Structures are given as structure tokens and as C-alpha cells.
Amino acid sequence: MYENSKFASHLQKRMRIFNKQSELVSLLDAISSEGTSIGFVPTMGALHQGHLSLLETALKQNNIVVISIFVNPTQFNNAEDLAKYPRTLEKDVEKIATISNDIIVYAPSVEDIYKGNTVSQHFDFDGIENQMEGKFRPGHFDGVGTIVKRLFEIIKPTNAYFGEKDFQQLQIVKKLVSKYKIPVNIISCPIFRETNGLAMSSRNERLSAEERKEATIIYKTILEAKKLFGTKSANEVTKWVEKAFAKQKRFELEYFQIADEATLLPCIRKNKNKNYRIFIAVFVNKIRLIDTISVN
Ligand code: AMP
């Protein structure tokens, strides 16, 4: 169980929190048998309603639910982003307890996962790793593939839950599972938003109250872009978005792309048989926020 824990003793008594994979695996071996389903929700912590909605879906569909809380260093290409990523384990456990005390928490150290060799495996995800997040965050999807594969090997889930908020990651995980023939169902879950439309994100914690309010422009812009895409080309919509952000002082557009959902390649000419999706990444005072919306 969790060592040197600062958790209130009532929480520690009620919840099962592990920081060692050997102990987690022993428990899972002891409580699961033929036909027991394990639902798994991987996260980097600083939990919000979006994460909790994944847990709620997992609870409905499985006998056992495991959440991992691990800020994975190999998927960060920016040292400052990694250093400043919020780490709030105690609060996270309290939030999980509001849903169920039966959820098993795996909050490993870097050493427990990487055993002294904190590097990524290199993956070929048929090119989808080179688009958008992959282009602007070199090495990011090698880090994601490495950690997700390792967590799947440890937990051996029946079902694993991923948010559409990170749609490209969701597609990468589906590729990983099919390429390595990992026996797990990947379940995609809708984006949870603040009341003003801003997609919930752990990084929102780093925004000032004013930035958080104004960041609603990201969602408003992609809603408007979706409407425009009804009559205009992807190129025209992109130009419109770039112009709209050029006028913004607080917000810096990193990319806006309308892409084929399956290949994530940019839409050059609309094809009725394809499903398209809008993707956006914006900096607010060095904090990077992403959002996405289906246009079909
Ligand atoms: P993270 O902790 O950011 O790595 O996210 C863990 C999981 O929660 C990922 O599958 C995310 O896509 C998902 N997630 C993050 N934010 C949201 C949100 N606002 N709505 C739904 N799922 C989310």
C-alpha cells in the first residue's frame, strides 16, 4: 500500500492506493478470476469532472475499476510543462472517494514504471503520430505509447477508457492495441466542458480566473468554424480562424486543423464519405490548451 502516505487515515483505510506495481498485481490476481472484468482509466492526475466521468462509465461496465495517476515524463517535450504540471494526489483521492471507495488507485513513482531507464520505446503508428500533437510535441506519442503499453501489461484491463478530448491520443491507443494485439477494448468517452464551454483540463488549474473565463474563445471559435465548414473549404475556414486569433492578445494559436478522423490527415478537398473533425491548440500565457469537435 501507499508508503509514507499523508492521506487522512480514514481515506487510507477505505481506499486501496498502491505505488508499487508488484502489490497492485498481487491484489488484482487475488480478487479477479475467470470472467471478472477490469476497467482501467489512465490519468496524469489533477482530476476534474472529465476524469470522473470516465471513472463513472468504467464503474457501470466492470467488476473492478483501476485508475492510474502518473505524470509520465517521457511524453513531455517541454521541461517547464512537466515541472509545472499540477500534482495533487491527496485531493485526487478525495475526489475518487466521492464516487466510490472501491476504485483501486495506482499512483506509481517514475522508478516503479521505468526501473531506472526513463526512455520511450519508438513506435510506428502508420503516420498518425506525425500530425498535429505529434508535429508540435516531438516524441510525445512515443511517450504515450510507452506508458500506455506498460500500464496495460501491468493491469491487463478488459476495458480501458480514454477521452475524446485527446482524440489523436485515442486513435494512437487504438493503433497500439491493434499492432501489438493487446486484448483490451478501448472505450472513447465524450468531452466534459465547463459551463462556459471550455474543455476541462488539468492545465486549466494554471489559468488565472480571467484567463479561464476568456479561454471560452477556443470553444466558441471551433463552434463557429464548424458552422463555416458547412459552406466553405477547410483552407478558408483555417484562414478565418488564424485571422480571428491574430487579433487576440492573450491567446496564441499553435495550430488549427480540419482532419480526417481516421487518418488525421488534413482535409484538402471535402469527401462526403469521410468523417472530419476540427482540432485546435492554443497558448494562453505559456499554458497550452487543446480542443476538438466532430464536424459530421
Ligand atoms: P490526462 O490526465 O490529461 O492524461 O487525461 C486522462 C484521460 O482523461 C484521457 O483519456 C483524457 O482524454 C481524459 N480527459 C481529459 N480531459 C477530459 C475532459 N474534459 N472530458 C473527458 N475526458 C477527458
Side-chain angles (χ1 to χ4, degrees):
M1 289 293 231
Y2 210 89
E3 283 169 4
N4 305 322
S5 169
K6 294 184 284 199
F7 298 114
S9 57
H10 68 278
L11 265 183
Q12 218 181 355
K13 258 184 228 147
R14 286 190 321 205
M15 291 198 56
R16 290 164 295 182
I17 308 161
F18 296 91
N19 61 0
K20 290 202 172 68
Q21 57 180 271
S22 52
E23 294 180 2
L24 172 71
V25 169
S26 301
L27 174 82
L28 290 176
D29 285 348
I31 63 174
S32 55
S33 55
E34 190 78 31
T36 306
S37 59
I38 300 179
F40 174 45
V41 179
T43 79
M44 297 204 297
L47 300 183
H48 49 68
Q49 277 299 323
H51 297 115
L52 300 185
S53 70
L54 268 58
L55 278 177
E56 274 164 354
T57 309
L59 273 174
K60 281 186 202 137
Q61 299 179 350
N62 300 276
N63 305 113
I64 296 169
V65 172
V66 181
I67 180 173
S68 63
I69 297 178
F70 180 62
V71 181
N72 173 38
T74 63
Q75 72 187 69
F76 284 81
N77 62 314
N78 177 323
E80 187 182 343
D81 191 24
L82 172 62
K84 293 201 170 158
Y85 201 88
R87 290 158 171 88
T88 57
L89 184 58
E90 218 177 320
K91 268 202 212 152
D92 291 346
V93 170
E94 279 169 17
K95 286 182 188 165
I96 296 166
T98 63
I99 313 187
S100 165
N101 291 322
D102 292 332
I103 296 170
I104 299 165
V105 181
Y106 177 43
S109 61
V110 171
E111 176 58 30
D112 193 56
I113 292 288
Y114 285 101
K115 313 282 181 218
N117 189 23
T118 313
V119 292
S120 294
Q121 184 181 338
H122 179 63
F123 294 94
D124 172 3
F125 292 122
D126 299 335
I128 62 174
E129 72 276 24
N130 300 324
Q131 296 297 316
M132 300 180 285
E133 292 299 286
K135 197 187 290 174
F136 287 94
R137 302 181 70 187
H140 174 63
F141 287 124
D142 278 342
V144 169
T146 302
I147 185 62
V148 172
K149 186 163 172 277
R150 201 151 294 184
L151 289 169
F152 283 173
E153 284 161 0
I154 296 167
I155 293 159
K156 299 188 176 57
T158 321
N159 303 304
Y161 298 79
F162 290 85
E164 280 176 7
K165 156 99 186 330
D166 301 278
F167 190 87
Q168 196 175 358
Q169 168 174 281
L170 177 65
Q171 300 298 66
I172 291 277
V173 172
K174 285 182 182 165
K175 279 266 178 221
L176 175 83
V177 162
S178 97
K179 289 212 163 197
Y180 288 85
K181 300 189 171 48
I182 305 172
V184 55
N185 304 310
I186 303 303
I187 318 275
S188 64
C189 303
I191 301 179
F192 224 86
R193 297 181 179 279
E194 315 241 354
T195 40
N196 69 4
L198 176 65
M200 287 193 180
S201 164
S202 305
R203 288 186 178 86
N204 294 354
E205 298 280 307
R206 296 178 52 205
L207 301 174
S208 68
E210 205 176 327
E211 287 165 347
R212 204 157 170 155
K213 216 164 97 192
E214 288 187 18
T216 180
I217 185 182
I218 301 169
Y219 184 52
K220 284 193 179 138
T221 304
I222 58 174
L223 279 181
E224 192 57 36
K226 175 175 169 158
K227 237 192 260 167
L228 280 178
F229 191 57
T231 54
K232 303 213 179 294
S233 70
N235 190 31
E236 286 168 317
V237 179
T238 306
K239 290 243 161 69
W240 177 82
V241 171
E242 284 169 355
K243 246 192 191 162
F245 272 96
K247 288 188 210 136
Q248 290 291 333
K249 283 209 186 86
R250 252 186 219 275
F251 300 92
E252 189 193 325
L253 181 67
E254 185 174 51
Y255 68 77
F256 172 89
Q257 186 160 310
I258 303 181
D260 177 342
E261 275 198 356
T263 61
L264 297 182
L265 289 172
C267 165
I268 308 291
R269 204 172 303 118
K270 282 184 211 175
N271 178 334
K272 268 197 271 162
N273 303 319
K274 286 186 173 167
N275 288 332
Y276 293 109
R277 184 171 268 277
I278 284 173
F279 296 87
I280 192 167
V282 173
F283 279 102
V284 189
N285 188 17
K286 287 198 185 162
I287 300 154
R288 191 171 180 280
L289 303 176
I290 59 169
D291 204 343
T292 176
I293 188 174
S294 160
V295 292
N296 290 83

